[in-house]
Amino acid sequence: MQNNELPPFINDLDETQKEAVLCTEGPLMVLAGAGSGKTRVLTYRIANLMFNGVDAFNILALTFTNKAAKEMRARIEKIVGPDARNLWMGTFHSVFAKILRFEAEKIGYTSNFTIYDTDDSKSLIKTIIKEFNLDDKLYKPALIYNRISSAKNNLIAAEEYINMADLMASDEANGRKKTADIYTEYAKRCYKSGVMDFDDLLMNMHKLLKNHPDVLNKYQHKFKYVLVDEYQDTNHCQYMIIKRLVAASRNICVVGDDSQSIYSFRGANIQNILSFSRDYPEHNIIKLEQNYRSSKTIVAASGDIISHNKEKLEKKIWTSNPEGEKINIIKAMTDSEEGKMIANSIFEAVSNRKVNYSEIAILYRTNAQSRVFEEAFRKISIPYRIYGGLSFYQRKEIKDLIAYLRLVVNPGDEEALKRIINYPTRGIGNTTIEKLVFIANQYNVSIWNVIEKANHFEVLGAAVSKLNNFYMMLTNFRQMALVKDASETAEYVAKQSGLLKHLHDDKTPEGVSRFENITELLNGIKEFCEDDTNENEKNLSAFLQDVALLTDKDQEEEDNSPKVTMMTIHASKGLEFKYVYVVGLEENLFPSHMALQSRVELEEERRLFYVAVTRAEQVLTLSYASSRFRHGTLLHCDPSRFITEIDPRYINSTLMYRGKQMPSKESIFGTEGLGDKKTSLTKLNIQPAFRKNISLNTNKQTGEPDFVPDDLTGLKAGMRVLHQRFGKGVVQEVSAEGINSKAIVLFNESESKTLVLRFAKMKILD
């Protein structure tokens, strides 16, 4: 390929990006730090290849999402024209499915094979488990599916699985020694039916290239240039396919960041990017180290964090952006208070700093953490959206338990009854439910009325005894609700219905998440009952009403209206926000207690924290709680070790503590070492300072009682006030808007603030 002239669009790039775009021959690894413009480099690199005469049909670009591929193709088309439509660009699965259509006969398929999605696969596995007369509580379809998927991602076919002693021993130790037989039968059924699942698309592509030299030669010479995005997220099967495809041309360009490798639970292998130099000794490495996204403070702090990992590729991320604000740390007494404090912080930012809701993100380790923020946001009317998942109360497992609770209060609630009458399974199938509905309609009564009199209806046949058992169970729940509060009743229902055990026994990642969500709901009900403001209303009916009002959505609200984004950190990768709150930074939550068994697991958790921090452009806030409800128990929590890995020079010296301004850093830590880059927060005893040195009742600097705000109900224009943070001021205007009444106050004769009175910490001076 000739590089006689530079394309005109090359001037849009910085010098390092230009180098990555123009270095077209041979193996190249582009180490792209967070916010360094890797998508632009990939896009321009492909455009440059085409500008210099490479046929679009000879370029293969592999991505991890269809959205990324679509956006890149559109950008390339704007640069070089419609020929970009001929690029082989897409996800691994979509590109390999296309090739397998052409070559299907080589591996015993027809070109019109169909593709099973995850639900199809699990359904087939469930059928096989039933035919084998195996216990479906032990051989859960989701669990077996994940086991088979993992094997395929590591190129272990069914006939090989049964001969692998370590896998067989592991299955036997877990009481599932028939897993290999299920895998064998599953593979046989798929093949006989002419279908492939998602993992087959990868494994069969590898089989095609490995077993058919003519096909391998064909695609090696067809794809003269291969580009792979997010290389750190590839699994072993994808790695081997790429290695075979580029063996002839050696023109491979991988783009990625080892510091953002966070998907090992999906089979991603960080060693693929770490061993690139070994696989391609003649390689070039270009490091995109300039961050265009974040402030100097955030970039420096993220560098501190990732420096604690031992297994990494060295790079020094920097930015020419402004210094920016220091990192805020919020400590709350409980997880519920954490939600309220962050809601107040966001409200203040939007009211006083003119921040748009859409510029704000809440990032958490697990989906279950969203509840306290959703509830806090609803109460002060902060709009939000759950990204990459359902609202907490819209998740299936939550709706299931809520349906049980609704029936306890009102057994005539037919939608709730139909939802859970056979969940967990109790032998009341669809045919019986159809009969119940028919009888109820004939007699113009509720389904529950029919169940009460089930013995009178011969058409119900053998289902009568099962219906009687269901009736007795629910009646028992209703009697419990008469004498117990909402928390005790809900816990009893969750256990006795079998719902809690059903979810607890599912050890797949999805199952663990569902169980955590149910326990989080039970935590929420317990908090509801312990809330002193609900002293006279702690029964189940009151809680359900509270939830119903809390989750009622405004149907007229447009989808594109500004909202705070809430998501897991895994879902946030690739996104950016001006304001980011990383919440729940506690030991055993983040890092997760499941990731503390080895350095490899801990380092992935740290990379996950690095990803969270680098989503922030301007303002970053970290929060944690001193105590958190988990599995119905209030547990003491220690701050995450990750907080201590940030140099104190990047931490806001006026840390927030239960909504109060904390003493200065010097008064807590002393002045020694504050300017030392090497000094860690651990050496400065930040954790003991948080736990022991600060009283809730008195100010350690003055010995005076803490600021106690007045009731501001009678506040009027012209009154003089004293604000805890802003000092003395004069009220300019008061607007009456119910619970969101606001006041405009002029402080220090120059600074005007708009305050929501229910949150304003002020004393009235006259």
Side-chain angles (χ1 to χ4, degrees), residues 248-268:
S249 71
R250 311 287 284 185
N251 288 330
I252 176 173
C253 171
V254 301
V255 180
D257 181 6
D258 59 302
S259 296
Q260 298 186 64
S261 178
I262 58 174
Y263 294 117
S264 65
F265 66 95
R266 294 182 187 169

Side-chain angles (χ1 to χ4, degrees), residues 114-128 141 145 186 190 195-198:
T114 55
I115 300 172
Y116 272 177
D117 63 17
T118 302
D119 288 339
D120 294 326
S121 297
K122 290 178 181 177
S123 179
L124 175 55
I125 290 170
K126 184 177 181 179
T127 299
I128 294 170
Y145 170 79
Y186 173 75
C190 287
V195 303
M196 297 185 199
D197 64 20
F198 290 148

Side-chain angles (χ1 to χ4, degrees), residues 596-641:
L596 300 178
Q597 307 305 312
S598 70
R599 178 172 294 279
V600 170
E601 294 171 328
L602 179 59
E603 291 200 350
E604 175 151 339
E605 286 289 292
R606 186 175 285 112
R607 292 194 294 271
L608 189 61
F609 183 47
Y610 173 85
V611 167
V613 168
T614 54
R615 299 311 92 200
E617 297 176 5
Q618 297 178 6
V619 179
L620 173 65
T621 301
L622 312 177
S623 72
Y624 68 97
S626 294
S627 60
R628 182 176 295 272
F629 271 106
R630 301 196 75 177
H631 309 300
T633 303
L634 187 64
L635 300 177
H636 169 77
C637 303
D638 290 321
S640 170
R641 68 192 70 189

Side-chain angles (χ1 to χ4, degrees), residues 293-357:
R293 173 187 302 155
S294 305
S295 68
K296 280 187 172 71
T297 295
I298 293 170
V299 169
S302 66
D304 282 350
I305 294 160
I306 206 63
S307 69
H308 287 77
N309 273 9
K310 291 186 176 180
E311 196 167 33
K312 62 182 183 297
L313 298 169
E314 292 298 331
K315 52 187 176 296
K316 181 64 176 176
I317 307 301
W318 63 279
T319 185
S320 60
N321 289 339
E323 195 74 28
E325 298 185 23
K326 292 189 176 183
I327 297 169
N328 302 307
I329 296 181
I330 293 178
K331 176 184 178 180
M333 291 302 295
T334 66
D335 50 343
S336 179
E337 185 182 59
E338 180 186 31
K340 293 173 185 175
M341 291 175 70
I342 287 179
N344 293 344
S345 173
I346 290 173
F347 198 100
E348 183 179 354
V350 172
S351 299
N352 297 337
R353 305 183 68 170
K354 307 306 179 186
V355 180
N356 193 295
Y357 285 122

Side-chain angles (χ1 to χ4, degrees), residues 669-680:
F669 306 120
T671 57
E672 184 178 355
L674 284 178
D676 181 4
K677 180 73 171 74
K678 302 286 186 183
T679 303
S680 71

Side-chain angles (χ1 to χ4, degrees), residues 521-573:
L521 174 60
L522 294 175
N523 291 342
I525 300 174
K526 189 167 187 176
E527 290 177 12
F528 173 85
C529 291
E530 293 179 353
D531 186 349
D532 290 338
T533 63
N534 296 324
E535 186 174 354
N536 298 318
E537 291 289 338
K538 297 182 179 180
N539 57 45
L540 203 53
S541 179
F543 172 76
L544 290 173
Q545 176 177 295
D546 190 65
V547 169
L549 295 174
L550 191 67
T551 59
D552 185 32
K553 294 185 178 179
D554 182 0
Q555 299 299 319
E556 296 179 359
E557 184 180 64
E558 295 182 4
D559 290 337
N560 60 357
S561 62
K563 297 181 179 71
V564 174
T565 299
M566 291 199 287
M567 67 180 85
T568 64
I569 302 168
H570 282 101
S572 74
K573 190 164 173 286

Side-chain angles (χ1 to χ4, degrees), residues 99 111 143 161 186 295 332 468 482 508 524 547 564 643:
I99 293 174
S111 60
L143 196 69
Y161 189 103
Y186 173 75
S295 68
N468 286 338
L482 294 175
T508 65
V547 169
V564 174
I643 297 177

